[in-house]
Amino acid sequence: MLNTAKRTNKKASERFNFSKERFIRSVGYWVVKAYIRTILEWGQLADVHNKDQRRKNMRAIKSADTSIEVRVRKMLWHAGYRYRLNVKSLTGTPDIYLPKYRAAIQINGCLWHGHNCPQFVLPKTRTEFWKEKISSNVQRDLRSISELKKQNIRALLIWECAIRGNGRLEPDYLLKLISRWLPTDDSLSVIDKQGIRSASLEDLNAQFNEALNFQLKTNPA
Ligand SMILES: [Zn+2]
Protein backbone atom coordinates (compact mmCIF):
# COMPACT_ATOMS: atom_id res chain seq x y z
CA MET A 1 0.00 0.00 0.00
CA LEU A 2 2.76 2.37 1.09
CA ASN A 3 4.93 1.20 -1.76
CA THR A 4 2.26 1.84 -4.32
CA ALA A 5 1.72 5.33 -2.94
CA LYS A 6 5.47 6.07 -3.10
CA ARG A 7 5.62 4.73 -6.61
CA THR A 8 2.72 6.88 -7.75
CA ASN A 9 4.24 9.95 -6.05
CA LYS A 10 7.54 9.28 -7.73
CA LYS A 11 5.80 8.81 -11.04
CA ALA A 12 3.87 12.04 -10.53
CA SER A 13 7.01 13.99 -9.71
CA GLU A 14 8.81 12.44 -12.67
CA ARG A 15 5.90 13.35 -14.82
CA PHE A 16 5.97 16.84 -13.37
CA ASN A 17 9.69 17.20 -14.00
CA PHE A 18 9.26 15.94 -17.51
CA SER A 19 6.45 18.32 -18.33
CA LYS A 20 8.28 21.23 -16.64
CA GLU A 21 11.24 20.66 -18.91
CA ARG A 22 9.00 20.38 -21.92
CA PHE A 23 7.12 23.45 -20.80
CA ILE A 24 10.28 25.51 -20.47
CA ARG A 25 11.58 24.22 -23.78
CA SER A 26 8.37 25.00 -25.64
CA VAL A 27 8.12 28.45 -24.07
CA GLY A 28 11.70 28.98 -25.19
CA TYR A 29 10.84 27.95 -28.75
CA TRP A 30 7.75 30.11 -28.72
CA VAL A 31 9.70 33.16 -27.52
CA VAL A 32 12.37 32.68 -30.18
CA LYS A 33 9.73 32.12 -32.90
CA ALA A 34 7.74 35.18 -31.83
CA TYR A 35 10.92 37.23 -31.74
CA ILE A 36 11.91 36.16 -35.26
CA ARG A 37 8.38 36.72 -36.56
CA THR A 38 8.28 40.20 -35.04
CA ILE A 39 11.57 41.12 -36.66
CA LEU A 40 10.36 39.84 -40.06
CA GLU A 41 7.02 41.65 -39.74
CA TRP A 42 8.72 44.87 -38.79
CA GLY A 43 10.92 44.51 -41.81
CA GLN A 44 7.88 44.02 -44.06
CA LEU A 45 6.05 46.88 -42.39
CA ALA A 46 8.99 49.19 -42.90
CA ASP A 47 9.12 48.20 -46.55
CA VAL A 48 5.37 48.69 -47.05
CA HIS A 49 5.68 52.05 -45.32
CA ASN A 50 8.49 53.06 -47.66
CA LYS A 51 6.45 52.00 -50.70
CA ASP A 52 3.41 53.86 -49.37
CA GLN A 53 5.46 56.95 -48.72
CA ARG A 54 7.01 56.77 -52.15
CA ARG A 55 3.58 56.36 -53.76
CA LYS A 56 2.27 59.34 -51.76
CA ASN A 57 5.25 61.48 -52.79
CA MET A 58 4.80 60.61 -56.44
CA ARG A 59 1.06 61.30 -56.26
CA ALA A 60 1.79 64.68 -54.66
CA ILE A 61 4.18 65.52 -57.48
CA LYS A 62 1.59 64.48 -60.08
CA SER A 63 -1.15 66.63 -58.58
CA ALA A 64 1.32 69.51 -58.34
CA ASP A 65 1.85 69.05 -62.10
CA THR A 66 -1.89 69.56 -62.54
CA SER A 67 -1.77 72.71 -60.42
CA ILE A 68 0.87 74.38 -62.63
CA GLU A 69 -1.32 73.54 -65.61
CA VAL A 70 -4.26 75.24 -63.87
CA ARG A 71 -2.15 78.35 -63.28
CA VAL A 72 -1.39 78.68 -66.99
CA ARG A 73 -5.00 77.99 -67.92
CA LYS A 74 -6.35 80.70 -65.59
CA MET A 75 -3.78 83.15 -66.87
CA LEU A 76 -4.84 82.55 -70.46
CA TRP A 77 -8.55 82.69 -69.64
CA HIS A 78 -8.20 86.05 -67.88
CA ALA A 79 -6.32 87.38 -70.88
CA GLY A 80 -9.30 86.45 -73.03
CA TYR A 81 -7.97 83.32 -74.73
CA ARG A 82 -10.42 80.50 -75.29
CA TYR A 83 -9.27 76.93 -75.35
CA ARG A 84 -10.25 73.31 -74.99
CA LEU A 85 -8.81 71.00 -72.37
CA ASN A 86 -7.38 67.51 -72.83
CA VAL A 87 -8.80 67.14 -76.33
CA LYS A 88 -9.06 63.38 -76.74
CA SER A 89 -9.43 63.57 -80.52
CA LEU A 90 -5.93 65.03 -80.80
CA THR A 91 -3.02 62.63 -80.45
CA GLY A 92 -1.31 62.92 -77.11
CA THR A 93 -4.35 64.82 -75.72
CA PRO A 94 -2.55 68.15 -75.21
CA ASP A 95 -3.26 69.91 -71.90
CA ILE A 96 -4.56 73.05 -73.59
CA TYR A 97 -5.67 73.45 -77.20
CA LEU A 98 -6.46 76.82 -78.78
CA PRO A 99 -8.46 76.11 -81.97
CA LYS A 100 -8.20 79.71 -83.21
CA TYR A 101 -4.40 79.43 -83.39
CA ARG A 102 -4.24 75.70 -84.15
CA ALA A 103 -1.91 75.59 -81.19
CA ALA A 104 -1.42 73.07 -78.40
CA ILE A 105 0.18 74.03 -75.11
CA GLN A 106 1.75 71.28 -73.09
CA ILE A 107 2.90 71.88 -69.52
CA ASN A 108 5.55 69.41 -68.43
CA GLY A 109 6.69 68.62 -64.90
CA CYS A 110 10.50 68.72 -64.89
CA LEU A 111 10.82 65.48 -62.92
CA TRP A 112 8.33 63.36 -64.85
CA HIS A 113 9.45 64.55 -68.26
CA GLY A 114 13.19 64.72 -67.63
CA HIS A 115 14.04 68.41 -67.98
CA ASN A 116 17.71 69.31 -67.94
CA CYS A 117 17.31 71.48 -64.83
CA PRO A 118 17.77 71.06 -61.04
CA GLN A 119 14.14 69.96 -60.60
CA PHE A 120 14.87 66.71 -62.42
CA VAL A 121 16.60 64.33 -60.00
CA LEU A 122 16.56 60.60 -60.63
CA PRO A 123 15.47 58.87 -57.38
CA LYS A 124 18.30 57.00 -55.63
CA THR A 125 16.18 53.88 -55.07
CA ARG A 126 14.98 51.82 -58.04
CA THR A 127 16.97 54.13 -60.28
CA GLU A 128 16.66 51.77 -63.28
CA PHE A 129 12.84 51.70 -62.94
CA TRP A 130 12.58 55.50 -62.87
CA LYS A 131 15.01 55.84 -65.73
CA GLU A 132 12.77 53.57 -67.88
CA LYS A 133 9.59 55.30 -66.72
CA ILE A 134 10.79 58.84 -67.44
CA SER A 135 12.40 57.79 -70.74
CA SER A 136 9.08 56.35 -71.91
CA ASN A 137 7.30 59.58 -70.90
CA VAL A 138 9.75 61.56 -73.00
CA GLN A 139 9.35 59.23 -75.98
CA ARG A 140 5.57 59.62 -75.72
CA ASP A 141 5.93 63.43 -75.57
CA LEU A 142 8.05 63.41 -78.73
CA ARG A 143 5.61 61.12 -80.55
CA SER A 144 2.66 63.36 -79.56
CA ILE A 145 4.36 66.51 -80.83
CA SER A 146 5.23 64.86 -84.12
CA GLU A 147 1.63 63.59 -84.49
CA LEU A 148 0.31 67.11 -83.82
CA LYS A 149 2.65 68.43 -86.48
CA LYS A 150 1.17 65.95 -88.99
CA GLN A 151 -2.27 67.40 -88.16
CA ASN A 152 -0.86 70.85 -88.79
CA ILE A 153 -1.06 71.81 -85.14
CA ARG A 154 1.72 73.81 -83.56
CA ALA A 155 3.07 73.01 -80.13
CA LEU A 156 4.35 75.09 -77.24
CA LEU A 157 6.05 73.22 -74.44
CA ILE A 158 6.24 75.01 -71.09
CA TRP A 159 8.52 73.56 -68.45
CA GLU A 160 7.43 73.56 -64.81
CA CYS A 161 10.53 75.51 -63.71
CA ALA A 162 9.36 78.49 -65.79
CA ILE A 163 6.15 78.56 -63.73
CA ARG A 164 7.24 77.49 -60.26
CA GLY A 165 10.36 77.50 -58.09
CA ASN A 166 13.50 79.59 -57.90
CA GLY A 167 14.15 81.61 -61.02
CA ARG A 168 10.62 81.14 -62.42
CA LEU A 169 9.36 83.71 -64.90
CA GLU A 170 7.13 86.56 -63.81
CA PRO A 171 3.53 85.55 -64.67
CA ASP A 172 3.06 88.70 -66.79
CA TYR A 173 6.23 87.94 -68.70
CA LEU A 174 5.18 84.31 -69.22
CA LEU A 175 1.82 85.47 -70.57
CA LYS A 176 3.58 87.92 -72.88
CA LEU A 177 5.77 85.11 -74.27
CA ILE A 178 2.74 82.91 -74.93
CA SER A 179 0.74 85.77 -76.48
CA ARG A 180 3.58 86.61 -78.83
CA TRP A 181 4.05 83.02 -79.91
CA LEU A 182 0.39 82.17 -80.55
CA PRO A 183 -0.14 84.20 -83.76
CA THR A 184 3.17 83.07 -85.32
CA ASP A 185 3.67 80.07 -87.61
CA ASP A 186 6.41 78.55 -85.48
CA SER A 187 5.71 74.82 -85.24
CA LEU A 188 7.49 74.05 -81.96
CA SER A 189 8.79 76.29 -79.21
CA VAL A 190 9.90 75.74 -75.66
CA ILE A 191 9.58 78.02 -72.64
CA ASP A 192 11.88 77.51 -69.67
CA LYS A 193 13.60 79.77 -67.13
CA GLN A 194 15.69 81.29 -69.92
CA GLY A 195 12.60 82.39 -71.84
CA ILE A 196 11.26 81.14 -75.17
CA ARG A 197 13.07 79.57 -78.11
CA SER A 198 12.19 77.67 -81.23
CA ALA A 199 13.09 73.98 -81.05
CA SER A 200 13.02 70.70 -82.92
CA LEU A 201 12.21 67.17 -81.78
CA GLU A 202 15.95 66.42 -81.99
CA ASP A 203 16.62 69.33 -79.60
CA LEU A 204 14.11 67.93 -77.11
CA ASN A 205 15.58 64.47 -77.35
CA ALA A 206 19.11 65.82 -76.93
CA GLN A 207 18.20 67.87 -73.86
CA PHE A 208 16.72 64.76 -72.24
CA ASN A 209 19.76 62.61 -73.01
CA GLU A 210 21.99 65.29 -71.54
CA ALA A 211 19.84 65.50 -68.40
CA LEU A 212 19.74 61.72 -68.02
CA ASN A 213 23.48 61.28 -68.51
CA PHE A 214 24.14 63.95 -65.92
CA GLN A 215 21.86 62.18 -63.45
CA LEU A 216 23.41 58.77 -64.09
CA LYS A 217 26.90 60.22 -63.62
CA THR A 218 26.09 61.99 -60.34
CA ASN A 219 23.74 59.26 -59.11
CA PRO A 220 25.24 55.89 -60.15
CA ALA A 221 22.94 52.88 -59.62
ZN1 LIG B 1 12.88 72.45 -65.42
Side-chain angles (χ1 to χ4, degrees), residues 19 41 64 69 76 84 93 105 116 158-159 177 188 196 198 206:
S19 51
E41 279 172 1
E69 188 197 316
L76 289 171
R84 288 160 65 195
T93 55
I105 299 180
N116 195 9
I158 306 178
W159 285 107
L177 295 182
L188 173 60
I196 192 167
S198 197

Side-chain angles (χ1 to χ4, degrees), residues 152-170:
N152 199 23
I153 291 166
R154 304 178 305 120
L156 176 63
L157 172 64
I158 306 178
W159 285 107
E160 175 185 7
C161 55
I163 306 168
R164 180 177 42 206
N166 280 341
R168 65 181 179 274
L169 303 178
E170 281 296 317

Side-chain angles (χ1 to χ4, degrees), residues 43-82:
Q44 274 173 0
L45 265 180
D47 195 41
V48 167
H49 174 76
N50 283 344
K51 271 184 198 158
D52 255 16
Q53 197 56 43
R54 197 159 48 221
R55 218 172 284 148
K56 262 185 204 157
N57 290 346
M58 286 307 169
R59 211 175 292 149
I61 292 169
K62 268 201 166 164
S63 61
D65 280 0
T66 319
S67 87
I68 49 172
E69 188 197 316
V70 170
R71 254 190 250 187
V72 174
R73 248 192 256 165
K74 281 188 177 166
M75 179 193 281
L76 289 171
W77 188 266
H78 286 302
Y81 291 104
R82 293 301 172 255

Side-chain angles (χ1 to χ4, degrees), residues 149-196:
K149 208 172 178 179
K150 281 183 198 158
Q151 297 169 68
N152 199 23
I153 291 166
R154 304 178 305 120
L156 176 63
L157 172 64
I158 306 178
W159 285 107
E160 175 185 7
C161 55
I163 306 168
R164 180 177 42 206
N166 280 341
R168 65 181 179 274
L169 303 178
E170 281 296 317
D172 285 348
Y173 181 58
L174 178 59
L175 180 62
K176 197 188 275 178
L177 295 182
I178 301 172
S179 309
R180 278 187 196 155
W181 177 81
L182 280 174
T184 65
D185 54 9
D186 178 87
S187 66
L188 173 60
S189 271
V190 178
I191 294 180
D192 61 15
K193 283 195 269 193
Q194 270 78 48
I196 192 167

Side-chain angles (χ1 to χ4, degrees), residues 92 108 112-114 131-147 201-202 204-206 208-209 212:
N108 274 0
W112 286 97
H113 299 266
K131 184 187 137 190
E132 292 304 315
K133 173 117 187 121
I134 295 167
S135 297
S136 78
N137 285 347
V138 174
Q139 292 316 310
R140 200 187 312 120
D141 291 344
L142 297 180
R143 270 201 308 276
S144 304
I145 294 172
S146 101
E147 285 300 320
L201 288 175
E202 290 73 33
L204 294 186
N205 200 27
F208 173 62
N209 285 331
L212 188 63

